[in-house]
Amino acid sequence: MDTEFRMSTLTNIYRAIQQSLQRSEPEVWTPDVVGKRQHVREIHLASISPDVKPPLIIGLHGYGINEMQMKTLVNVQLNQPFIYLAPRAPYIHPTGGYAWFPVDSISNGDKGREFHVDPASVQSSLQLIAELIPLAVERYQADPNRVFIIGYSQGAAMSIAFMLSHPELLAGGAAMSGQLLDEAKSLASKARNGNPARESKPFFLGYGTKDPFITQSDMLNTIAFMESGGVNVTYHEYPIPHVVSQQQLRDLERWILPYC
């Protein structure tokens, strides 16, 4: 009897721990976007008030990971109410996780490997984000004039592309450990024609000088292209590899706060 009591007690404790862990994870919103059910994590929710509409932050994760990366790696904290959502990328990575667009790696002899991106996949993911934003604004009663997009790695490349292609939906954006995609340049050029919405929109770029994938030249080219389209770029360098440091995160928070 004593053994049964102890086992019952341990079972109850185990269930309580499991429930606590489940509650600590962000809730999931599953809207229908581009004809498919999407998976969106609610990283941070402001208390919704009918009088004050909070800013909305959309966080885009890296290649082969999932949306929880934005909570662990880019867990933005602001001293005011805000909504922070992280959608899951639509393409399944071959080794697990998800991607905003597939990447093909091709050997190029002595020059190493070349990476090729499918432009249609990039455009499809951009369209997904463009359709998600107004749904999120309505659901969470966010301010449509204070929508920001931030991304890490492949998500950073997407946030840059989204600012260039859909500036009318954003108040600003940020990219960490990411660069401009060649495939996004044509989309940006099309959006640039007759669309002044990009003018003076603020954008934060964070780059690690020890990044093995992205060179400083890549970043300078990214800045030049964005600024030529009217984006107001704030650029920071950090002595780090392809990661997000605490200093970079604090700089991002200080940068975004005045626009919120």
Side-chain angles (χ1 to χ4, degrees):
M1 184 71 175
D2 186 51
T3 301
E4 291 180 2
F5 177 78
R6 288 199 300 270
M7 290 298 296
S8 175
T9 302
L10 287 173
T11 300
N12 291 334
I13 291 174
Y14 176 76
R15 287 174 178 171
I17 292 172
Q18 288 295 100
Q19 290 171 0
S20 175
L21 289 173
Q22 290 171 0
R23 285 195 299 269
S24 68
E25 284 195 3
E27 295 293 328
V28 177
W29 173 40
T30 56
D32 187 63
V33 188
V34 296
K36 295 181 180 179
R37 188 69 64 184
Q38 304 299 328
H39 193 100
V40 182
R41 288 280 180 178
E42 299 171 338
I43 305 296
H44 179 87
L45 297 183
S47 53
I48 298 175
S49 166
D51 302 322
V52 179
K53 293 182 179 294
L56 169 65
I57 298 175
I58 302 292
L60 308 180
H61 65 79
Y63 183 65
I65 314 295
N66 62 40
E67 70 285 353
M68 284 299 291
Q69 183 184 54
M70 301 309 289
K71 178 175 175 61
T72 58
L73 190 64
V74 194
N75 193 15
V76 175
Q77 301 291 325
L78 304 176
N79 59 354
Q80 69 167 63
F82 70 103
I83 307 292
Y84 185 11
L85 305 177
R88 178 178 293 175
Y91 295 96
I92 298 176
H93 189 273
T95 60
Y98 301 87
W100 295 102
F101 49 85
V103 177
D104 293 326
S105 174
I106 301 175
S107 177
N108 192 19
D110 295 338
K111 296 181 179 179
R113 303 193 70 81
E114 291 183 352
F115 296 93
H116 296 273
V117 174
D118 174 26
S121 300
V122 175
Q123 190 164 11
S124 177
S125 288
L126 290 172
Q127 185 61 34
L128 186 156
I129 299 165
E131 293 189 22
L132 174 67
I133 287 175
L135 294 177
V137 166
E138 181 180 5
R139 174 181 173 84
Y140 299 98
Q141 293 297 292
D143 186 347
N145 296 314
R146 292 188 293 164
V147 177
F148 300 85
I149 191 166
I150 63 176
Y152 164 72
S153 192
Q154 192 183 73
M158 288 296 298
S159 67
I160 293 169
F162 196 82
M163 169 58 82
L164 293 170
S165 60
H166 296 79
E168 70 281 357
L169 295 177
L170 297 176
M176 290 153 286
S177 299
Q179 62 177 311
L180 173 69
L181 296 170
D182 288 337
E183 292 76 11
K185 290 181 179 179
S186 60
L187 299 175
S189 297
K190 291 177 183 177
R192 183 178 303 175
N193 296 329
N195 187 349
R198 192 186 303 130
E199 295 296 326
S200 298
K201 290 286 177 74
F203 200 92
F204 177 97
L205 275 178
Y207 170 64
T209 56
K210 299 179 181 180
D211 194 318
F213 308 112
I214 302 171
T215 67
Q216 188 177 53
S217 177
D218 292 330
M219 294 309 301
L220 295 178
N221 289 335
T222 297
I223 294 168
F225 189 90
M226 296 185 76
E227 290 184 338
S228 71
V231 180
N232 180 15
V233 177
T234 297
Y235 178 62
H236 288 263
E237 290 186 352
Y238 306 89
I240 57 175
H242 196 77
V243 296
V244 177
S245 67
Q246 285 300 306
Q247 182 60 54
Q248 185 173 184
L249 187 56
R250 299 290 85 81
D251 288 343
L252 171 64
E253 291 167 346
R254 281 191 290 268
W255 170 85
I256 200 173
L257 196 55
Y259 301 110
C260 287

